């Protein structure tokens, strides 16, 4: 297991390219199963989560080739059983459920692995498939779904107690493309990754309207064709490096971004006193640290609200921002594993219920810390950039799940980091 050494006297400048979105790639790769024809997906980030998804597609019988960011999937014949040893490694493997059920009328998915950010139920996914007429049974840790006579469109409300579900919306939208009749998805997630999936499905011949709103309508069709697609930029990676530029930069530029996906992060960075400037077509952003930054309050919400996947990174920034900041996570109220590790570095944070109260300190101090979930681990790297001494971040595999070559990108910006085998 690799670890990352981060030397705290790093000053970042220069530019990097942001990779394709992990969270758009995963459902889009799963949705290639909806056709027997080959699809080509470009800008798939080389991270362990997408590599797991490719292994699952291979295990289901698809032919899969990858060369750098371009993936070719040919699912001419597939089996309905996703392999337990792969599915348990990644929650997002649940998004083969909809495509399998729609394509072969049956799906056997192991309950996805738990996640350190809190409870990860799948009740809304099951509700969606039942809503389309599938029967669902639990068999020894597996979810077994069947619809031998095909799926039938319906109106289904996908709202859970914490709001819309991103992958639940994806699963229902994918399954509905081949259902008989019309499906209406109420309380749909409107994240950019859901829109990118809808764009991919429409290219395949699906009839979808309303993606990006809370109400998506899908007219079922007989079959779908293979297509080519470029994945949208990863807005969470972009947000992570925007924070790095605000915390430890002297002018950092991020290329291959989408300004319309970064509104919430931009608003908070500007409210905190930092400079955020996009180029004319919104594909590049330049970050300059504020002369006298101040604390802010954040409450996460479904898109276009502040993303839960960025609250840990902003907590790292507030840990060395003068003043008091409050970060509330309404989507994953337990997602505060990073706070205890940052406190080992001298951060002043009090976690209470679904919120963290942060009092900024001048500098953190290096300490050996343990990565936990994907975004919490990235937040520790950011905190380490502003810590005296060299911070050792263990269990780097958490970061490698969702950040493509994070150490190489940091080095390109002048950070003093090194990846060492543990
Ligand atoms: C997606 O997860 C993302 N993952 C997560 O990013 C992200 O944090 C999350 O959406 C919220 O934006 C991918 O896209 C691969 P949800 P997802 O279903 O779809 C509850 C990262 O760091 N819920 O939108 O699994 C759930 O407990 C990852 O890249 C139910 O109650 O999340 C949560 O409180 C972490 N029942 C809320 O809904 C269900 O059946 C939102 O979860 C499903 C979800």
């Amino acid at each position: 297991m690799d670890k990352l050494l981060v030397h705290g006297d790093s000053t970042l400048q220069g530019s990097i390219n942001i990779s394709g979105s992990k969270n758009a790639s995963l459902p889009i790769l799963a949705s290639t199963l909806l056709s027997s024809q080959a699809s080509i997906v470009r800008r798939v980030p080389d991270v362990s989560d997408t590599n797991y998804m490719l292994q699952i597609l291979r295990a289901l019988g698809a032919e899969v080739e990858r060369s750098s960011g371009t993936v070719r999937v040919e699912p001419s014949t597939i089996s309905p059983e996703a392999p337990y040893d792969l599915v348990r490694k990644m929650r997002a493997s649940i998004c083969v459920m909809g495509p399998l059920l729609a394509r072969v009328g049956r799906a056997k998915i192991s309950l996805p692995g738990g996640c350190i950010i809190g409870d990860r139920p799948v009740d809304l996914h099951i509700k969606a498939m039942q809503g389309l007429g599938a029967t669902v049974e639990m068999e020894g840790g597996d979810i077994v779904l069947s619809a031998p006579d095909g799926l039938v469109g319906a109106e289904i409300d996908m709202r859970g107690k914490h709001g819309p579900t991103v992958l639940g919306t994806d699963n229902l939208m994918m399954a509905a493309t081949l259902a008989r009749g019309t499906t209406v998805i109420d309380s749909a997630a409107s994240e950019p990754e859901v829109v990118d999936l809808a764009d991919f499905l429409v290219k395949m011949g699906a009839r979808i309207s309303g993606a990006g709103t809370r109400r998506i309508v899908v007219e079922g069709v007989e079959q779908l064709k293979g297509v080519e697609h470029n994945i949208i930029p990863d807005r969470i990676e972009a947000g992570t490096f925007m924070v790095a530029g605000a915390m430890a930069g002297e002018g950092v530029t991020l290329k291959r971004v989408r300004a319309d996906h970064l509104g919430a992060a931009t608003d908070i960075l500007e409210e905190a006193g930092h400079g955020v400037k996009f180029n004319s077509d919104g594909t590049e952003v330049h970050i300059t640290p504020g002369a006298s930054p101040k604390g802010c309050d954040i409450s996460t919400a479904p898109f276009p609200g502040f993303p839960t996947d960025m609250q840990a990174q902003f907590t790292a920034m507030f840990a060395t921002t003068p003043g008091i900041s409050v970060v509330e996570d309404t989507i994953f109220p337990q997602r505060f594993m990073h706070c205890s590790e940052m406190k080992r570095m001298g951060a002043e944070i009090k976690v209470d219920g679904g919120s963290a109260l942060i009092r900024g300190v001048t500098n953190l101090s290096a300490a050996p810390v343990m990565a936990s979930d994907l975004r919490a681990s990235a937040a520790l790297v950011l905190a380490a950039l502003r810590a005296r001494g060299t911070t050792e971040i263990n269990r780097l595999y958490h970061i490698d799940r969702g950040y493509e070559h994070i150490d190489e990108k940091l080095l390109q910006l002048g950070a003093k980091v090194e990846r060492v085998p543990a």
Side-chain angles (χ1 to χ4, degrees):
M1 283 194 282
D2 291 355
K3 56 186 173 186
L4 192 68
L5 303 183
V6 181
H7 305 288
D9 55 350
S10 296
T11 302
L12 309 186
Q13 57 187 7
S15 68
I16 55 169
N17 286 338
I18 293 298
S19 299
S21 164
K22 163 184 86 84
N23 289 352
S25 301
L26 294 169
I28 284 173
L29 289 170
S31 72
T32 59
L33 296 171
L34 288 165
S35 170
S36 58
Q37 295 177 1
S39 286
I40 294 177
V41 187
R42 295 188 184 83
R43 291 207 181 152
V44 176
D46 176 17
V47 295
S48 45
D49 272 10
T50 54
N51 291 326
Y52 280 143
M53 181 57 77
L54 298 185
Q55 289 177 43
I56 289 171
L57 296 180
R58 283 195 188 96
L60 290 170
E63 275 176 48
V64 178
E65 294 150 52
R66 173 180 204 139
S67 61
S68 72
T70 300
V71 173
R72 181 182 184 279
V73 184
E74 181 160 0
S76 37
T77 51
I78 51 169
S79 88
E81 303 210 1
Y84 172 73
D85 59 349
L86 286 175
V87 166
R88 69 177 175 76
K89 288 181 182 169
M90 178 182 68
R91 168 171 173 91
S93 49
I94 189 120
C95 46
V96 300
M97 175 193 283
L100 281 180
L101 196 54
R103 173 86 185 277
V104 298
R106 180 174 149 73
K108 186 174 183 182
I109 316 272
S110 308
L111 272 172
C115 195
I116 202 124
I117 63 178
D119 192 17
R120 304 302 297 275
V122 292
D123 58 306
L124 296 172
H125 296 253
I126 291 171
K127 172 186 175 185
M129 299 302 115
Q130 288 173 326
L132 295 179
T135 59
V136 181
E137 266 124 40
M138 306 304 282
E139 261 175 39
D142 287 339
I143 311 168
V144 180
L145 305 100
S146 68
D149 305 325
L151 299 170
V152 179
E155 175 150 6
I156 302 170
D157 190 325
M158 288 298 281
R159 185 172 191 78
K161 64 179 187 312
H162 291 286
T165 162
V166 172
L167 292 182
T169 300
D170 292 348
N171 251 330
L172 178 49
M173 188 163 64
M174 289 186 282
T177 58
L178 295 178
R180 285 193 304 280
T182 303
T183 297
V184 177
I185 307 175
D186 291 319
S187 309
S190 59
E191 272 65 12
E193 296 76 23
V194 175
V195 175
D196 203 27
L197 172 62
D199 291 346
F200 183 80
L201 293 170
V202 166
K203 277 184 194 171
M204 293 178 89
R207 291 169 39 199
I208 299 172
S209 58
T213 73
R214 290 277 176 259
R215 190 173 190 273
I216 299 175
V217 179
V218 184
E219 304 287 342
V221 296
E222 286 295 313
Q223 62 181 13
L224 297 173
K225 60 184 190 299
V227 292
E228 303 198 14
H229 185 77
N230 292 342
I231 296 285
I232 55 171
D234 193 314
R235 63 190 169 104
I236 308 299
E237 183 191 40
T240 304
F241 278 99
M242 287 167 79
V243 171
M247 288 178 74
E250 276 182 352
V252 163
T253 300
L254 307 178
K255 297 181 175 175
R256 288 191 187 166
V257 300
R258 286 251 324 236
D260 57 331
H261 295 171
L262 294 165
T266 299
D267 292 348
I268 296 291
L269 283 172
E270 289 180 334
E271 186 185 329
H274 301 295
V276 181
K277 187 155 178 41
F278 288 92
N279 67 350
S280 55
D281 63 358
T283 56
E284 293 185 11
V285 62
H286 186 74
I287 308 293
T288 41
S292 47
K294 63 182 181 55
C296 302
D297 293 350
I298 289 177
S299 183
T300 65
F303 191 85
F306 190 92
T308 173
D309 291 350
M310 277 203 227
Q311 57 98 337
Q313 297 91 315
F314 275 73
T315 298
M317 182 176 80
F318 292 140
T320 56
T321 299
I324 300 282
S325 303
V326 178
V327 174
E328 177 191 26
D329 198 329
T330 65
I331 295 173
F332 292 114
Q334 300 157 312
R335 195 176 192 174
F336 292 99
M337 288 296 291
H338 45 287
C339 295
S340 49
E341 294 304 301
M342 286 182 199
K343 283 156 79 170
R344 288 167 47 74
M345 299 170 72
E348 289 185 20
I349 305 177
K350 187 175 180 317
V351 177
D352 181 18
S355 290
L357 186 144
I358 305 132
R359 178 191 304 279
V361 297
T362 310
N363 266 310
L364 298 171
S365 50
V369 290
M370 196 68 75
S372 54
D373 94 70
L374 166 59
R375 308 303 174 185
S377 313
L380 294 177
V381 175
L382 297 175
L385 292 172
R386 286 290 303 274
R388 273 192 305 277
T390 298
T391 298
E392 181 180 294
I393 298 169
N394 293 290
R395 298 187 182 173
L396 207 49
Y397 59 83
H398 286 293
I399 295 185
D400 291 338
R401 277 191 49 209
Y403 286 89
E404 188 176 45
H405 314 151
I406 193 169
D407 43 333
E408 291 167 24
K409 287 175 175 155
L410 285 166
L411 283 167
Q412 199 175 323
L413 291 173
K416 296 174 188 165
V417 299
E418 50 193 307
R419 177 188 286 260
V420 294

